[in-house]
Amino acid sequence: MNDLRTAAPHAAPAAGTGRRVSTARGRTVLTAVVGVVVLCALVTVSVANGDMPLPPLDAVKGLFGLGDSATVLVVQEFRAPRMVAAIVAGAGLAVAGALLQRLFRNPLASPDVMGVTGGASFGAVAMLAAGASQALMPLAALGGGLLAAVLLGVFGWRSGVSVTRLVLVGLAVQAGLSAAVSFMVVRFPTELAGSALQWTTGSVYGRTWTEVTSAGGAVAVGLVAAFALHRRLAVLDLGDDSAGALGLNTHAARLQVLVIAIVLASLAAALTGPVAFVALAVPHMVRFLTGPPTAGTLALSGLAGAVLLLASDLVAQYLLPVGGLPVGVVTATLGAPWLLVLMIRQSSSVNRSVR
């Protein structure tokens, strides 16, 4: 009896932990199911609406190559590339943001805040100015994103890693590269200025299957690599000392996660330009809905990013009084107050810790 009484208090926390894990897993699954349903609804709206509205059922059939040839042409060649670009880019940005926030353990860490998307835009516009093929845009955007990362490392790493310093330097890098993009756009000939305009605000207008296939395929590979690194991230969550004791090379693991996040964000920006808010906010939303990060929540972040960017593009197309606005205007409008709230909360937590 004494043994039973002694063991009972130790068994209760384990049972409670198991229930919490089960509850979190259930919330993740439920949220994923809802997200898939919402995404399917948004896809239907996206392919059914436009200058020539189509019945939703006919539009979905046209997406799979069924129905009359005119419907198939309109859906597959004009509407589907834009829709797929929004889905792929949203997933890539959201997963990149989730990786960076978990790596740096800071809610402000995201590709748009830290200058990566600005660098990707700079690389793409520079390649466009050189008259290169659209098929090379993903490589140019990746090069620009890596350039931003190098600048961030040079100016942000001083005597160790200070996340606050990285964020501030990242904002400066983002502003500087965005100014360079704007300068190049102004200096472009008139016929090229329109093509380069998306790199100042972010847009999925006019995407083609060539661009979607090249950049989207690379984003898919990056997403697979991100999920493959999840176990290393889980070990890093234990702290450097514990991770090292388990045999993990913490410096190499952090570098791998950082590179994958930069690659994902840069390739996503190759499709959309510097779209703000998605990478910053989606990981917070997912944590609020499902709890601590897991492999499931990382996948859910990609799904939520796809939903958010596609929904924002539909809002820009059909719900705003001014037609033709790029999706970056919608996401930036949502993202500015969100970033302000996060920075206020971050400074408040720092002040409390100092006291």
Side-chain angles (χ1 to χ4, degrees), residues 86-162:
I87 291 174
V88 172
L93 288 171
V95 171
L99 291 177
L100 289 177
Q101 290 178 16
R102 193 171 176 185
L103 179 65
F104 291 113
R105 300 176 186 176
N106 190 287
L108 293 176
S110 73
D112 41 344
V113 173
M114 300 178 73
V116 176
T117 54
S121 298
F122 174 80
V125 172
M127 186 66 73
L128 185 63
S133 169
Q134 288 284 341
L136 296 177
M137 287 302 168
L139 289 177
L142 179 57
L146 292 174
L147 171 64
V150 169
L151 293 175
L152 186 64
V154 169
F155 296 109
W157 259 269
R158 296 287 177 84
S159 302
V161 177
S162 169

Side-chain angles (χ1 to χ4, degrees), residues 186-271:
V186 170
R187 300 293 297 175
F188 271 169
T190 304
E191 61 270 15
L192 290 178
S195 301
L197 186 60
Q198 68 158 320
W199 304 107
T200 63
T201 54
S203 173
V204 289
Y205 173 77
R207 298 301 90 198
T208 65
W209 280 121
T210 300
E211 297 164 326
V212 171
T213 302
S214 57
V219 169
V221 173
L223 290 173
V224 173
F227 293 120
L229 290 174
H230 176 264
R231 289 190 176 182
R232 298 189 180 190
L233 265 176
V235 177
L236 286 174
D237 288 341
L238 301 175
D240 287 355
D241 293 337
S242 298
L246 292 173
L248 181 67
N249 185 333
T250 56
H251 295 292
R254 290 182 187 279
L255 181 60
Q256 290 169 354
V257 174
L258 182 61
V259 169
I260 290 299
I262 291 172
V263 168
L264 279 174
S266 300
L267 293 173
L271 283 172

Side-chain angles (χ1 to χ4, degrees), residues 9-82:
H10 297 283
T17 301
R19 284 194 295 270
R20 286 195 296 271
V21 171
S22 178
T23 301
R25 187 179 295 115
R27 288 201 303 268
T28 301
V29 172
L30 178 61
T31 306
V33 171
V34 173
V36 169
V37 172
V38 173
L39 181 60
C40 290
L42 292 174
V43 167
T44 303
V45 173
S46 180
V47 297
N49 288 278
D51 293 336
M52 185 179 74
L54 298 171
L57 183 58
D58 291 347
V60 172
K61 288 181 179 179
L63 184 62
F64 294 98
L66 305 175
D68 64 89
S69 57
T71 299
V72 172
L73 176 66
V74 168
V75 171
Q76 289 191 346
E77 296 301 322
F78 299 105
R79 298 179 185 176
R82 178 172 185 163

